[in-house]
């Protein structure tokens, strides 16, 4: 079942109506980041790994594309920083697979409310030590776009987090990072806001959870998760209470990207070591070219920022793209 929006904003359902055209709009990556869902930290880590390894497969027997990830269980365990694959870890992975099969994400745009199951099929072949997961094809295209901004390093950082709320804040901070330095924000900062009711809905917190003193909600849902996020990731997030009189009605989250050289650890995988080295090199080149060619760099950056994108990008991503274009133009002029 699919829907499309008519010229007057009315939502129509596709099905028996044969003359309907394919909808021009589809799910956006930020709708995934800001969707309504809840799962265990282990299931969240597994889902993030699947998204980072997602492939598009075209089957001869199917009319639509399949979105799948096939990987070694040991690779998943290592990447998210868990202990070696033993009996306990195997059972945790199996439980996470069952949980993802049952879990759903809800997308509420205000104009329409949709629900999607995350996974349609999963296999854990212990003999081959491999896991295969097929994502709901309705989510596939948006997740492939979401994957582009989800680097191996960010996946590693997500794997370090233990709190589901900390994982969601990390995801939300990245989804709003395209506003870094814009709309009144300082050059390396951005913010986003949610009401208490919106956070409850976003994180799918039951009515009877943290229903007593607001200090309990602030500590468990906001303060503690953000402290973990600030300690273990490359983003710093501080919160400000929004009050109506003496009543806390929401929070404003102030975000800042930590700028520092990435340390290459012995335990890092080859992929992560390579990515860290490339990012460190790009950071050095970025500062060098910004200083040496300020006007040319500013022109390239303005050009990049004016281009339409599916979802807002972090300022550093725009700067790296501007650097690439500047280097190309300098090489052509030689």
């Amino acid at each position: 079942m699919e829907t499309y929006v008519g010229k007057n904003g009315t939502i129509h359902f596709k099905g028996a109506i044969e003359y309907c055209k394919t909808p021009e709009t589809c799910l956006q990556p930020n709708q995934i980041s800001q969707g309504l869902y809840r799962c265990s930290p282990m299931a969240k880590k597994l889902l993030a790994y699947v998204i980072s390894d997602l492939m598009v497969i075209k089957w001869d027997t199917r009319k639509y594309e399949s979105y799948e990830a096939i990987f070694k269980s040991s690779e998943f365990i290592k990447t998210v920083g868990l202990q070696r694959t033993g009996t306990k870890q195997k059972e945790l992975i199996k439980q996470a697979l069952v949980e993802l099969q049952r879990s759903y994400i809800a997308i509420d745009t205000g104009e329409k409310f949709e629900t999607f199951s995350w996974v349609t099929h999963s296999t854990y072949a212990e003999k081959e030590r491999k896991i295969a997961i097929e994502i709901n094809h309705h989510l596939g295209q948006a997740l492939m776009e979401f994957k582009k901004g989800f680097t191996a390093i960010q996946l590693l950082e997500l794997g370090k987090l233990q709190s589901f709320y900390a994982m969601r804040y990390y995801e939300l901070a990245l989804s709003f990072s395209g506003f870094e330095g814009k709309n009144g924000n300082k050059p390396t900062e951005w913010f986003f806001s949610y009401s208490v009711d919106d956070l409850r809905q976003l994180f799918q917190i039951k009515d009877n959870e943290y229903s007593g003193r607001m200090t309990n909600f602030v500590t468990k849902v906001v303060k503690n998760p953000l402290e973990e996020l600030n300690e273990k990731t490359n983003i710093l997030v501080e919160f400000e209470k929004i009050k109506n009189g003496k009543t806390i009605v929401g929070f404003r989250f102030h975000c800042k990207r930590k700028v520092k050289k990435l340390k290459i650890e012995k335990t890092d995988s080859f992929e992560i070591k390579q990515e860290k080295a490339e990012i460190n090199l790009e950071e050095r080149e970025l500062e060098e070219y910004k200083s040496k060619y300020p006007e040319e760099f500013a022109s390239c950056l303005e050009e990049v920022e004016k281009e339409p994108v599916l979802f807002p990008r972090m300022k550093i991503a725009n700067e790296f793209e501007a650097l690439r274009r500047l280097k190309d133009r300098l090489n052509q002029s030689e």
Side-chain angles (χ1 to χ4, degrees), residues 169-188:
Y169 281 124
Y170 182 65
E171 200 171 47
L172 287 169
L174 288 177
S175 76
F176 284 101
S177 63
F179 299 105
E180 179 184 353
K182 301 177 181 178
N183 300 335
N185 291 309
K186 293 181 180 179
T188 60

Side-chain angles (χ1 to χ4, degrees), residues 169 222-230 237-239 253:
Y169 281 124
V222 183
K223 181 176 178 291
N224 290 349
L226 291 183
E227 285 180 352
E228 184 187 6
L229 183 153
N230 292 337
V237 182
E238 297 178 340
F239 71 94
F253 301 95

Side-chain angles (χ1 to χ4, degrees), residues 95-111:
Q95 291 174 17
L97 289 173
V98 172
E99 185 179 351
L100 284 182
Q101 190 81 39
R102 294 173 177 171
S103 298
Y104 72 93
I105 178 172
I107 308 294
D108 190 353
T109 64
E111 295 181 351

Side-chain angles (χ1 to χ4, degrees), residues 46-81:
L46 183 58
L47 179 61
Y49 190 90
V50 168
I51 294 172
S52 72
D53 203 42
L54 202 58
M55 300 178 294
V56 181
I57 301 178
K58 297 182 179 180
W59 298 97
D60 294 337
T61 56
R62 295 184 183 179
K63 295 182 179 180
Y64 55 85
E65 295 174 330
S66 175
Y67 298 86
E68 302 182 28
I70 303 172
F71 50 91
K72 292 182 179 179
S73 55
S74 59
E75 291 176 351
F76 164 68
I77 292 294
K78 181 180 179 181
T79 301
V80 298

Side-chain angles (χ1 to χ4, degrees), residues 306-324:
K306 284 183 178 180
E307 292 180 350
V309 291
L310 284 173
F311 60 102
R313 296 181 298 200
M314 289 187 73
K315 183 179 179 180
I316 188 65
N318 286 333
E319 289 187 337
F320 282 160
E321 174 59 20
L323 171 63
R324 185 190 66 77

